C-alpha cells in the first residue's frame, strides 16, 4: 500500500509537470524546424531495448520509437551507453530521449515523462541451479547482482529490510555482466526485469526463482524541462495505437513477446504441500505417542515442529489447515500477516471472521466440496476483506486430509496471490477492447460483437440497425479551443449517448469524433424496425444538440447519423459498415444534425466514384491530361500572362472538367504526381514562349494544392522542373490558397522564401474567402492578390461585394501587391473594377481557357 501511495503522488507530480511541458510545447510549436534529430540513449536490455544491427534502437521500446520517428519525420541517432551513464547523459542534455524509465519520485525530480505507459513490467530473481533460493528468507547472507542506479536496486534493498534479511547487493553496469557473474557463481542470484530474464536465463543456464517484486510502468524520458514535444508526440501515438488492435503497438508486442503462460503452481509448492501433508500426519500421530514417551522424545518432537514451522513460514505462499467444521487449525506466517493476527488468534476462527459475507459463503461452498466429497480443488478465488477495503485474487489448491481408515478429518490449502497478474491481464484487456478516453468499447470490440449479432439474427429472424454517429465540425472545436476541450466534449457525449441505449445494445467509439451504436432485437418487420431505429437516432440528435458546459462556457454541438439496417437479407459485417458509413456522409452533406438511412443509390454513387478513381490512376500513364491556358490582361487590354488550367481528355467521357476529378485526386494522393506533371508542362511552355518575342514576357500562373505544397521536397521539385525545361523562374507564378495558412505558417513561409530566392512569383488565389489575416499577409512574400470571382460576379448590383472588392484593392496597394480580378465577363465589370483601382483582369470577357495551338 505504501508503494501504491508513493506511485500515486509521483503520478500526480508527473501529470502536473507534463501539462506545463505541453504549454511550453504549444508556445514554441510555430518555430520548430521541419526536420528533427533525436539522440536516443541505448543500452543492452533485450527484448525491451538494445542496439540493432542497422545502428537504430531495437527491441520493443526501440521498434515503437522507430515507428513514431517515421511518422513524425524524426532522425534517430543512437547513443550507446551503460545504464548509469545513460541516465547521466540524459540529465546533462547529451541525449534527448531515454527509453525504459520506471517512474519514481526521485526520477521525476530529474526527468520529464509522458503520460501513457509504454510498457508494464515487474522484476524477478534468477539463480544458479546449485543455489537453493525459494523465498526472501533464503537470501540471508547471499550476494545478489543488480543493475547499478536501477529501480530494482533500491526496491529490493527496502524489501530485504522489511523481511529483516541481510544480503549484499552487488551493482553492475550492465545486465549481461550481472548474468555472467551469476552463471560463474561469483554472486548467488541476479535481479532483473522479467523481459530480459525470461529471454536470457536459458543462455546462462540460470533458473527463475518464485521471488517477484517491483511491478512497474515504463516510460520514455527527457531531461527536465526539455523536449516536451517528443513526449507529446509519444503520448499521441501511444494513445492512438493502444486503442487499435491492429496498430503498430500490438504488432511490436506480438513480434517480441509470446502470450504470457498460464499460471502454474511451481513444483516447489507441490513438494511443500506433499511435505506438509506428510509431516503434519507424522506430527499428529506423534502427538498421541508423545504423551507416553519420555521427555527426551518430547524434546526431539519439538525440534521437528520448529523445523517444520520454519519451512512453512519461509514459503512465499498462504498455507493453512481447517478442520471438518471449517475452523482454522493451522496458518503459516503469510496467512497470519494477511489477517493481521497471531496464530493463536487465528486458530478456531472461520472465514466469516476475516472476509465479507459473500466471500465467506463462497469459500465455505468450496471447502465443503473437499470435506464432504473428498475432491481435490484447484480454483481462482477473489476474496474481499471484512471491511470491504481490500480485494485480492488467489490461485488455491485444497486437498482432503484423511485418517488411516480413509475418513476425512480436515483439509489442507495452499494459495498463491495472483492479484498483480490479474490486474495486468485486465489492463491489457482494457487496452485491447476499450477506448481509454470515453471508456466505451472500441472498434475491435464492436466488430466482434457485430459478428455475433449477425449470426444470431440469421437464426432468430430479428432486425437490427448500425448507426454511425459523427460529430459535426469537431475539428473546428479542437483547433479553436484545444484538444483538452475536445476530449471533454467527447466524454460528455459518450455519457449522453449511453443514456439513449438499451441494455442489450452496444455503443462504441470508433475514431476521433465518431461513435457507433449497434441496435439489436428490433422488430422482425422491417418497417417497424425502421421506425424504432429512427426514433433512437432522433433521440440521439436531440440529446447531442443540448448545450455542453466546457470550462464554464456553454458550447453547442450537433451530429450526423448514418443508419444501415440488417436482418431482412443476408449481409456481411464489412458491407454493413460501408453502408452505414455512406449513409453518414450523405447525412453530413444534407446539413447539420441530420440522419440518413442507407439506400442502393448511395452505393451506385460510390461505384461511380470508384470507377472514376480507377480511370484516374491510368490517366497519367496514358497521357490523357492536357493544359488549357486562360489569358490575363492589364488595364490597356494587353496580355501579360496566362493561368494554366488542367483538363482530362477521357477516352469515353470526353473532356472532363477539374471539378469532377480534382477532389478525387486530392483524396487518393494522385494530386501529387498530377501536380508535378502540370508544373513540368507549364515550365516547358514557358521555355517555348521565351523564343517568341511576342510571348517571351508572359507569365504562367500554376495552381498548387495545399497537399502538394506541404511535401518536404516541393522546393526541389519546382527547381528541378525549371532547370529541366530551361524556363525563366521569374515567369513562373504559383497560386496558393488561403487554406495553406491554417497550419504550419512558419513552414509555409520558409518554402515560399526559398522559392522566392529562385525568382518564382506568388499569388494568393480566391482571396477573401479563407483564413488569412493582415498580420499574416505582411509576413508572406507575395506578389499578387487574386479577387475571387464570387465577389466579381455580383458586385455591380451588390454593395457589400463592391465594398469587399474595393477593400481588397486598397489592401493590395498598401502592401505593394498587384491585384487581379478573376471571373470578369462583361465590359461593365471591367470598367467598374478600373474605377476601383484594379488594373489586372482574367475572365471570359478577355478569353476562355484553351489549349496551345501550334
Amino acid at each position: 500500500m505504501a508503494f501504491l501511495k508513493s506511485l500515486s503522488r509521483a503520478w500526480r507530480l508527473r501529470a502536473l509537470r507534463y501539462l506545463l511541458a505541453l504549454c511550453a510545447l504549444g508556445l514554441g510549436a510555430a518555430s520548430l524546424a521541419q526536420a528533427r534529430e533525436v539522440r536516443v540513449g541505448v543500452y543492452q536490455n533485450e527484448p525491451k531495448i538494445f542496439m540493432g544491427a542497422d545502428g537504430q534502437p531495437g527491441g520493443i521500446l526501440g521498434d515503437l520509437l522507430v515507428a513514431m520517428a517515421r511518422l513524425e519525420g524524426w532522425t534517430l541517432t543512437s547513443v550507446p551507453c551503460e545504464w548509469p551513464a545513460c541516465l547521466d547523459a540524459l540529465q546533462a542534455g547529451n541525449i534527448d530521449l531515454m527509453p525504459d524509465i520506471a517512474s519514481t519520485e526521485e526520477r521525476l525530480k530529474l526527468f520529464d515523462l509522458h503520460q501513457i505507459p509504454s510498457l508494464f513490467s515487474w522484476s524477478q530473481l534468477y539463480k544458479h541451479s546449485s543455489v537453493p533460493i525459494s523465498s526472501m528468507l533464503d537470501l540471508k547472507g547471499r550476494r545478489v547482482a543488480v543493475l547499478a542506479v536501477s529501480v530494482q536496486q533500491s526496491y529490493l534493498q527496502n524489501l530485504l529490510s522489511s523481511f529483516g534479511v541481510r544480503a549484499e547487493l552487488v551493482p553492475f553496469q550492465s545486465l549481461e555482466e550481472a548474468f555472467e557473474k551469476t552463471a560463474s557463481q561469483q554472486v548467488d542470484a541476479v535481479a532483473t526485469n522479467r523481459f530480459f530474464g525470461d529471454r536470457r536465463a536459458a543462455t546462462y543456464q540460470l533458473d527463475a526463482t518464485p521471488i517477484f517484486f517491483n511491478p512497474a510502468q515504463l516510460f520514455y524520458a527527457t531531461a527536465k524541462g526539455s523536449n516536451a514535444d517528443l513526449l507529446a508526440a509519444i503520448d499521441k501515438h501511444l494513445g492512438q495505437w493502444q486503442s487499435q488492435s491492429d496498430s503498430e503497438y500490438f504488432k511490436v508486442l506480438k513480434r517480441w513477446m509470446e502470450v504470457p503462460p498460464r499460471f502454474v503452481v511451481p513444483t516447489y509448492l507441490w513438494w511443500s504441500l506433499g511435505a506438509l501433508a506428510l509431516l503434519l500426519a507424522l506430527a499428529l500421530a506423534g502427538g498421541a505417542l508423545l504423551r507416553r514417551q519420555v521427555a527426551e522424545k518430547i524434546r526431539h518432537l519439538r525440534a521437528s515442529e520448529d523445523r517444520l514451522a520454519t519451512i512453512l513460514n519461509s514459503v512465499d505462499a498462504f498455507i493453512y489447515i481447517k478442520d471438518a467444521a471449517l475452523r482454522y487449525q493451522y496458518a503459516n506466517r503469510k496467512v497470519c500477516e494477511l489477517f493481521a493476527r497471531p496464530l493463536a488468534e487465528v486458530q478456531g476462527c472461520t472465514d466469516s471472521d476475516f472476509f465479507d459475507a459473500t466471500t465467506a459463503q463462497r469459500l465455505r461452498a468450496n471447502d465443503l466440496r473437499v470435506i464432504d466429497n473428498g475432491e481435490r480443488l484447484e480454483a481462482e478465488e477473489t476474496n474481499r476483506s471484512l471491511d470491504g477495503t481490500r480485494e485480492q485474487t488467489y490461485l488455491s489448491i485444497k486437498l482432503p486430509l484423511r485418517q488411516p481408515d480413509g475418513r476425512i478429518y480436515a483439509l489442507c490449502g495452499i494459495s498463491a496471490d495472483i492479484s498483480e497478474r490479474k490486474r495486468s491481464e485486465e489492463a491489457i484487456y482494457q487496452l485491447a477492447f476499450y477506448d481509454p478516453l470515453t471508456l466505451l468499447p472500441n472498434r475491435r470490440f464492436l466488430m466482434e460483437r457485430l459478428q455475433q449479432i449477425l449470426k444470431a439474427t440469421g437464426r432468430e429472424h430479428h432486425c437490427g440497425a448500425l448507426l454511425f454517429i459523427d460529430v459535426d465540425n469537431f475539428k473546428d472545436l479542437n483547433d479553436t479551443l484545444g484538444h483538452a476541450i475536445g476530449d471533454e466534449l467527447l466524454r460528455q457525449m459518450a455519457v449522453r449517448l449511453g443514456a439513449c441505449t438499451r441494455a442489450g445494445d452496444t455503443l462504441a467509439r470508433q475514431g476521433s469524433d465518431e461513435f457507433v451504436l449497434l441496435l439489436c432485437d428490433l422488430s422482425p418487420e422491417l418497417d417497424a424496425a425502421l421506425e424504432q431505429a429512427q426514433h433512437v437516432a432522433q433521440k440521439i440528435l436531440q440529446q447531442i444538440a443540448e448545450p455542453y458546459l466546457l470550462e464554464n462556457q456553454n458550447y453547442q454541438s450537433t451530429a450526423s447519423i448514418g443508419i444501415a439496417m440488417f436482418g431482412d437479407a443476408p449481409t456481411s459485417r464489412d458491407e454493413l459498415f460501408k453502408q452505414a458509413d455512406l449513409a453518414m456522409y450523405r447525412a453530413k452533406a444534407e446539413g447539420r444534425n441530420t440522419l440518413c438511412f442507407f439506400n442502393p443509390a448511395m452505393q451506385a454513387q460510390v461505384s461511380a466514384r470508384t470507377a472514376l478513381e480507377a480511370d484516374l490512376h491510368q490517366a497519367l500513364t496514358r497521357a490523357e491530361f492536357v493544359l488549357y491556358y486562360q489569358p490575363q490582361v492589364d488595364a490597356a487590354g494587353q496580355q501579360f500572362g496566362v493561368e494554366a488550367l488542367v483538363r482530362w481528355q477521357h477516352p469515353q467521357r470526353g473532356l472532363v472538367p477539374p471539378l469532377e476529378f480534382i477532389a478525387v485526386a486530392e483524396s487518393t494522393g494522385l494530386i501529387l504526381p498530377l501536380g508535378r506533371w502540370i508544373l513540368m508542362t507549364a515550365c516547358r511552355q514557358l521555355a517555348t514562349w521565351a523564343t517568341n518575342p511576342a510571348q517571351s514576357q508572359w507569365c504562367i500562373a500554376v495552381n498548387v494544392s495545399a497537399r502538394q505544397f506541404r511535401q518536404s521536397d516541393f522546393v526541389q521539385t519546382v527547381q528541378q522542373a525549371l532547370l529541366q525545361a530551361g524556363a525563366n523562374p521569374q515567369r513562373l507564378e504559383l497560386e496558393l490558397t488561403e487554406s495553406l495558412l491554417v497550419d504550419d505558417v512558419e513552414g509555409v513561409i520558409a518554402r515560399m522564401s526559398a522559392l522566392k530566392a529562385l525568382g518564382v512569383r506568388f499569388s494568393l488565389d480566391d482571396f477573401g474567402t479563407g483564413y488569412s489575416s493582415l498580420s499574416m499577409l505582411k509576413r508572406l512574400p507575395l506578389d499578387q492578390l487574386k479577387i475571387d470571382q464570387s465577389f466579381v460576379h455580383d458586385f455591380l448590383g451588390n454593395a457589400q461585394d463592391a465594398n469587399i472588392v474595393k477593400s481588397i484593392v486598397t489592401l493590395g496597394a498598401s502592401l505593394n501587391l498587384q491585384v487581379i480580378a478573376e471571373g470578369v465577363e462583361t465590359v461593365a465589370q471591367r470598367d467598374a473594377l478600373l474605377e476601383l483601382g484594379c488594373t489586372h483582369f482574367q475572365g471570359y470577357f478577355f478569353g476562355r481557357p484553351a489549349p496551345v495551338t501550334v
Side-chain angles (χ1 to χ4, degrees):
M1 293 299 291
F3 169 75
L4 291 177
K5 291 177 180 178
S6 173
L7 182 60
S8 177
R9 290 194 298 273
W11 182 264
R12 292 195 295 270
L13 287 172
R14 176 160 59 83
L16 178 59
R17 291 167 182 150
Y18 189 67
L19 285 173
L20 293 174
L22 283 179
C23 291
L25 174 63
L27 291 174
S31 60
L32 290 176
Q34 182 183 0
R36 177 71 186 274
E37 179 188 15
V38 181
R39 299 168 297 173
V40 182
V42 180
Y43 77 110
Q44 294 299 112
N45 192 348
E46 297 183 26
K48 292 191 293 180
I49 185 70
F50 63 91
M51 182 70 74
D54 58 353
Q56 289 289 289
I60 298 173
L61 300 176
D63 286 359
L64 289 176
L65 189 58
V66 168
M68 295 179 195
R70 184 168 58 250
L71 295 175
E72 293 292 332
W74 298 337
T75 299
L76 300 183
T77 300
S78 299
V79 180
C81 49
E82 300 292 351
W83 175 252
C86 287
L87 296 182
D88 292 340
L90 180 62
Q91 187 175 358
N94 295 329
I95 59 177
D96 303 312
L97 193 65
M98 185 66 203
D100 197 25
I101 298 291
S103 175
T104 66
E105 288 190 1
E106 294 181 358
R107 286 180 177 170
L108 288 174
K109 296 175 182 178
L110 303 175
F111 311 117
D112 287 336
L113 310 179
H114 51 95
Q115 287 187 328
I116 302 175
S118 59
L119 205 59
F120 296 89
S121 181
W122 59 82
S123 300
Q124 189 173 2
L125 290 186
Y126 295 81
K127 67 178 183 64
H128 192 275
S129 58
S130 63
V131 179
I133 297 178
S134 59
S135 73
M136 294 296 294
L137 298 178
D138 293 334
L139 296 178
K140 183 177 181 181
R142 301 286 188 185
R143 302 178 78 236
V144 181
V146 294
L147 184 64
V149 200
S150 65
V151 174
Q152 291 102 329
Q153 181 178 4
S154 57
Y155 195 99
L156 184 57
Q157 185 65 63
N158 294 334
L159 193 61
L160 289 169
S161 299
S162 68
F163 276 83
V165 174
R166 290 191 176 183
E168 180 184 359
L169 300 186
V170 184
F172 290 93
Q173 297 300 308
S174 70
L175 291 174
E176 292 285 353
E177 183 183 6
F179 269 58
E180 290 174 1
K181 298 299 183 184
T182 308
S184 61
Q185 294 188 272
Q186 297 182 46
V187 294
D188 301 303
V190 57
T192 183
N193 65 83
R194 61 106 172 182
F195 295 103
F196 186 92
D198 291 348
R199 194 175 185 89
R200 303 293 286 165
T203 303
Y204 291 95
Q205 297 182 338
L206 300 182
D207 298 332
T209 74
I211 300 177
F212 298 84
F213 62 97
N214 189 30
Q217 298 174 327
L218 303 181
F219 301 84
Y220 297 87
T222 63
K224 195 68 181 174
S226 66
N227 295 311
D229 59 319
L230 299 180
L231 300 179
I234 290 171
D235 265 335
K236 176 185 73 173
H237 291 295
L238 288 176
Q240 293 173 352
W241 290 347
Q242 290 179 3
S243 67
Q244 301 172 0
S245 61
D246 58 348
S247 68
E248 187 68 21
Y249 183 86
F250 290 98
K251 290 178 182 177
V252 169
L253 289 183
K254 184 176 182 181
R255 184 160 59 246
W256 288 102
M257 296 172 61
E258 295 293 335
V259 176
R262 184 182 175 186
F263 181 87
V264 178
V265 178
T267 303
Y268 79 92
L269 290 181
W270 287 108
W271 283 107
S272 299
L273 185 58
L276 170 65
L278 177 61
L279 292 174
L280 285 178
L282 291 175
L284 291 174
L289 296 176
L290 285 175
R291 291 190 296 270
R292 298 190 297 271
Q293 291 180 340
V294 296
E296 183 67 23
K297 293 292 184 180
I298 294 176
R299 286 194 298 271
H300 284 304
L301 181 58
R302 286 177 178 172
S304 297
E305 289 176 343
D306 289 342
R307 287 194 295 272
L308 175 61
T310 300
I311 293 172
L312 296 180
N313 287 330
S314 65
V315 174
D316 192 21
F318 302 85
I319 302 173
Y320 51 88
I321 295 176
K322 298 179 184 178
D323 61 17
L326 305 183
R327 296 184 296 261
Y328 283 93
Q329 299 301 305
Y330 170 79
N332 73 342
R333 175 184 57 84
K334 292 284 289 183
V335 176
C336 293
E337 290 176 353
L338 176 66
F339 295 156
R341 297 189 190 182
L343 176 59
E345 295 183 17
V346 173
Q347 291 173 324
C349 294
T350 64
D351 287 322
S352 60
D353 296 312
F354 306 115
F355 301 107
D356 69 353
T358 302
T359 301
Q361 184 177 2
R362 178 172 40 74
L363 291 174
R364 176 179 176 81
N366 288 340
D367 291 347
L368 289 177
R369 291 171 58 185
V370 180
I371 294 293
D372 294 344
N373 304 329
E375 295 183 25
R376 175 189 176 279
L377 186 67
E378 179 177 344
E380 283 189 7
E381 297 177 332
T382 300
N383 302 339
R384 183 175 297 156
S385 60
L386 190 61
D387 58 6
T389 59
R390 184 176 58 185
E391 185 174 282
Q392 299 289 103
T393 303
Y394 303 89
L395 180 62
S396 299
I397 300 172
K398 300 179 181 181
L399 300 173
L401 299 180
R402 300 178 183 272
Q403 297 282 13
D405 60 3
R407 289 184 298 108
I408 299 173
Y409 66 91
L411 70 82
C412 177
I414 179 168
S415 301
D417 189 346
I418 59 171
S419 302
E420 283 300 321
R421 179 173 71 86
K422 296 294 291 183
R423 280 191 282 270
S424 296
E425 290 176 353
E426 291 171 1
I428 292 173
Y429 180 84
Q430 191 74 17
L431 286 173
F433 291 100
Y434 286 85
D435 168 46
L437 177 66
T438 62
L439 303 181
L440 293 177
N442 59 16
R443 179 182 173 86
R444 180 180 179 184
F445 184 101
L446 176 67
M447 295 293 278
E448 294 185 4
R449 175 65 174 157
L450 179 57
Q451 190 66 32
Q452 297 170 359
I453 294 300
L454 288 176
K455 290 180 180 179
T457 301
R459 294 191 303 267
E460 300 171 5
H461 306 293
H462 281 94
C463 288
L466 190 67
L467 281 67
F468 270 32
I469 307 164
D470 187 86
V471 183
D472 295 328
N473 301 323
F474 182 71
K475 184 178 184 301
D476 294 342
L477 172 68
N478 267 346
D479 292 342
T480 55
L481 299 183
H483 290 277
I485 299 298
D487 289 346
E488 177 59 26
L489 175 65
L490 292 175
R491 280 190 287 264
Q492 292 187 28
M493 279 189 174
V495 173
R496 295 188 185 185
L497 290 171
C500 299
T501 62
R502 304 167 302 173
D505 299 332
T506 301
L507 174 65
R509 182 186 178 209
Q510 179 170 248
S512 103
D513 59 349
E514 194 170 86
F515 298 89
V516 181
L517 175 59
L518 175 60
L519 299 179
C520 310
D521 296 329
L522 299 180
S523 172
E525 299 297 330
L526 181 59
D527 290 343
L530 284 168
E531 290 184 7
Q532 292 171 335
Q534 184 177 18
H535 174 74
V536 173
Q538 289 173 339
K539 182 179 179 182
I540 289 173
L541 292 176
Q542 182 180 358
Q543 286 290 321
I544 287 181
E546 292 293 326
Y548 298 85
L549 186 62
L550 302 177
E551 286 196 347
N552 299 321
Q553 292 186 0
N554 284 332
Y555 179 80
Q556 205 81 22
S557 184
T558 58
S560 300
I561 302 179
I563 309 173
M565 304 298 296
F566 61 90
D568 59 321
T571 186
S572 68
R573 179 181 62 184
D574 293 340
E575 187 64 26
L576 195 62
F577 262 76
K578 291 178 183 178
Q579 294 175 0
D581 196 41
L582 285 172
M584 183 271 291
Y585 279 106
R586 173 58 62 86
K588 190 170 286 290
E590 292 179 357
R592 297 175 53 172
N593 216 44
T594 57
L595 63 90
C596 179
F597 283 89
F598 172 80
N599 62 65
M602 296 179 188
Q603 189 65 51
Q605 290 179 353
V606 172
S607 300
R609 178 187 170 93
T610 303
L612 181 67
E613 182 179 327
D615 289 347
L616 198 57
H617 276 279
Q618 302 296 325
L620 272 174
T621 58
R622 295 174 179 171
E624 294 175 0
F625 290 107
V626 62
L627 281 189
Y628 277 43
Y629 298 94
Q630 185 172 30
Q632 295 178 332
V633 302
D634 58 19
Q638 295 296 316
Q639 183 172 346
F640 65 87
V642 295
E643 180 180 2
L645 302 169
V646 67
R647 299 291 187 267
W648 180 9
Q649 189 65 52
H650 193 280
Q652 285 82 38
R653 301 170 186 260
L655 195 63
V656 182
L659 285 177
E660 295 186 21
F661 66 86
I662 288 296
V664 177
E666 286 273 8
S667 64
T668 59
L670 290 172
I671 195 67
L672 299 179
L674 177 58
R676 287 192 292 269
W677 177 86
I678 294 173
L679 187 63
M680 190 68 222
T681 304
C683 288
R684 288 173 181 160
Q685 188 61 54
L686 275 176
T688 300
W689 282 341
T691 62
N692 184 344
Q695 300 168 320
S696 60
Q697 299 302 310
W698 285 6
C699 292
I700 293 183
V702 176
N703 290 281
V704 178
S705 74
R707 184 169 184 177
Q708 182 183 5
F709 189 83
R710 290 196 179 100
Q711 295 301 302
S712 59
D713 62 345
F714 179 72
V715 175
Q716 292 80 3
T717 299
V718 175
Q719 187 175 19
Q720 184 178 9
L722 289 167
L723 289 174
Q724 288 182 1
N728 184 354
Q730 295 179 351
R731 297 289 173 256
L732 177 64
E733 183 174 87
L734 300 182
E735 291 194 359
L736 310 179
T737 61
E738 293 179 271
S739 61
L740 261 177
L741 308 179
V742 177
D743 300 312
D744 190 20
V745 177
E746 298 300 328
V748 170
I749 295 174
R751 287 189 179 88
M752 291 179 68
S753 299
L755 290 169
K756 191 74 174 175
L758 298 176
V760 177
R761 291 167 50 83
F762 285 97
S763 174
L764 193 58
D765 195 14
D766 300 336
F767 183 70
T769 63
Y771 309 91
S772 57
S773 63
L774 293 179
S775 60
M776 193 177 299
L777 285 177
K778 287 169 54 180
R779 301 178 60 196
L780 297 176
L782 291 170
D783 299 281
Q784 183 186 83
L785 296 179
K786 197 167 193 179
I787 304 174
D788 185 66
Q789 61 182 339
S790 63
F791 301 127
V792 176
H793 185 267
D794 295 323
F795 89 107
L796 290 178
N798 187 312
Q800 186 176 14
D801 284 348
N803 289 332
I804 292 174
V805 171
K806 184 177 181 180
S807 299
I808 295 174
V809 173
T810 303
L811 176 63
S814 65
L815 296 176
N816 198 26
L817 298 176
Q818 183 185 92
V819 178
I820 183 171
E822 65 176 352
V824 180
E825 299 180 354
T826 66
V827 65
Q829 290 175 337
R830 182 202 61 183
D831 293 343
L833 287 166
L834 279 170
E835 289 180 7
L836 292 177
C838 181
T839 58
H840 295 80
F841 314 98
Q842 177 183 338
Y844 286 175
F845 179 72
F846 305 100
R848 292 178 177 269
V852 173
T853 57
V854 180

